[in-house]
Amino acid sequence: VLFFGLGSNVGQDHRSRYDLVSFEGTMSLKQRLVRQSSFAVSLTIADRDFGDDIIAGDYSVEDRVNAGQLELPPGFEGYSIALQTTSLVLDNRRARPAPGSGFRFAAQYQLGVDLQKGPARSLWLTWATSLSAFLDLSDHQHVVSLTLSLTAAEALSGQIPFFELPSISGNNPMRGFVNRFLVGDSGASLLLRYDWPVWMWLDGTIQVAVGNVYDGRFAGLSAANTRLSAGIGLAAVNQRDHFFEFLIGFGTETFANGGQVESFRFLFGGTRDF
């Protein structure tokens, strides 16, 4: 797994890798509400172990730590945790083929606790919320949307394992960055996208977002400390468990550092869950 560091100023200079062996089990209950709204609760038990993973031309996380370039991320020694998650989605849009205009509000909180050494070692709360507006220009799924997203993790005791910190890259709003490029205590993003039908099973998508992750509770949030993410691609209509996705995207440094392209992403989709 790639690791670039934590916080708003990460970059390719400290790119490194680590092994991850993870086992998870989840029980969940989901209640569908009106239209596309829903309420869900779940309990996840996870065990994660980390180690070196060296590929020619790359460094391991421990190499970077020994060279004084990175601090060893919290929880790198491995841990077992329980995660209790509650999520609410309020979406007044009707399912396709109805017009795609409407609004969507989503909120989630997650309580995490260390199962090996108890809450005194690590107990934390993670929350995320987003507000979206959709305008169907043709009433036939030519949809322009704008989404504001905020997320943060709060340590109630001890430290939060680095792998459980919020990430806004990968399949999250800043999709021009590779998975887990942007990881921090908190994150904010504003996503503008346009989706349109290409075929009966495929939609085209263009996405442009600005945002970043931050230390603490949005420390350093400013226009200068913001990155740009952009991408274009194809995705299966109404993707759920199985989907096809093709995306080409890029992400930049912060505007204060010149806004130059720092991350390039090519994604050819497969199966999300099974």
Side-chain angles (χ1 to χ4, degrees), residues 191-252:
L191 170 65
L192 175 66
R193 62 184 290 172
Y194 174 57
D195 299 276
W196 71 96
V198 172
W199 184 46
M200 63 182 300
W201 304 115
L202 288 176
D203 280 350
T205 181
I206 298 175
Q207 305 178 16
V208 179
V210 290
N212 206 349
V213 291
Y214 309 97
D215 297 328
R217 192 175 296 179
F218 304 100
L221 174 60
S222 67
N225 197 20
T226 297
R227 300 171 183 264
L228 174 70
S229 165
I232 184 171
L234 300 170
V237 173
N238 290 335
Q239 53 182 289
R240 293 187 185 274
D241 292 340
H242 300 273
F243 75 107
F244 168 82
E245 187 172 21
F246 171 80
L247 179 74
I248 297 174
F250 68 88
T252 74

Side-chain angles (χ1 to χ4, degrees), residues 8-233:
S8 59
N9 293 317
V10 298
Q12 295 286 352
D13 291 343
H14 294 158
R15 171 187 168 120
S16 53
R17 289 181 180 269
Y18 60 87
D19 285 327
L20 168 63
V21 179
S22 179
F23 298 94
E24 291 187 18
T26 301
M27 297 184 297
S28 62
L29 175 64
K30 183 175 182 178
Q31 176 63 52
R32 295 190 180 278
L33 306 175
V34 295
R35 298 196 178 183
Q36 298 192 76
S37 301
S38 63
F39 175 79
V41 293
S42 66
L43 176 64
T44 298
I45 305 297
D47 181 85
R48 310 197 203 282
D49 288 304
F50 306 91
D52 281 340
D53 179 13
I54 301 176
I55 295 178
D58 276 334
Y59 293 86
S60 72
V61 171
E62 294 181 355
D63 287 337
R64 295 291 191 188
V65 171
N66 293 334
Q69 298 170 332
L70 290 174
E71 293 184 4
L72 190 68
F76 196 77
E77 70 277 7
Y79 52 85
S80 297
I81 56 173
L83 301 169
Q84 191 277 312
T85 306
T86 301
S87 60
L88 173 68
V89 176
L90 300 178
D91 192 332
N92 71 345
R93 295 173 297 163
R94 297 184 184 276
R96 295 172 75 146
S101 296
F103 296 91
R104 182 180 188 272
F105 169 78
Q108 181 184 88
Y109 92 86
Q110 185 177 80
L111 182 66
V113 60
D114 189 289
L115 292 178
Q116 294 175 325
K117 297 184 179 180
R121 183 205 186 197
S122 189
L123 177 68
W124 72 95
L125 177 68
T126 303
W127 61 265
T129 186
S130 66
L131 180 63
S132 305
F134 304 86
L135 177 62
D136 193 334
L137 302 177
S138 65
D139 287 340
H140 296 288
Q141 306 306 316
H142 294 78
V143 179
V144 176
S145 63
L146 186 66
T147 300
L148 174 65
S149 301
L150 300 172
T151 183
E154 306 279 350
L156 304 180
S157 65
Q159 291 183 299
I160 306 172
F162 79 101
F163 201 79
E164 313 308 321
L165 290 171
S167 173
I168 64 170
S169 53
N171 290 331
N172 296 302
M174 304 288 284
R175 302 199 66 203
F177 292 92
V178 297
N179 191 35
R180 300 194 64 79
F181 190 102
L182 299 175
V183 180
D185 296 325
S186 55
S189 64
L190 184 65
L191 170 65
L192 175 66
R193 62 184 290 172
Y194 174 57
D195 299 276
W196 71 96
V198 172
W199 184 46
M200 63 182 300
W201 304 115
L202 288 176
D203 280 350
T205 181
I206 298 175
Q207 305 178 16
V208 179
V210 290
N212 206 349
V213 291
Y214 309 97
D215 297 328
R217 192 175 296 179
F218 304 100
L221 174 60
S222 67
N225 197 20
T226 297
R227 300 171 183 264
L228 174 70
S229 165
I232 184 171

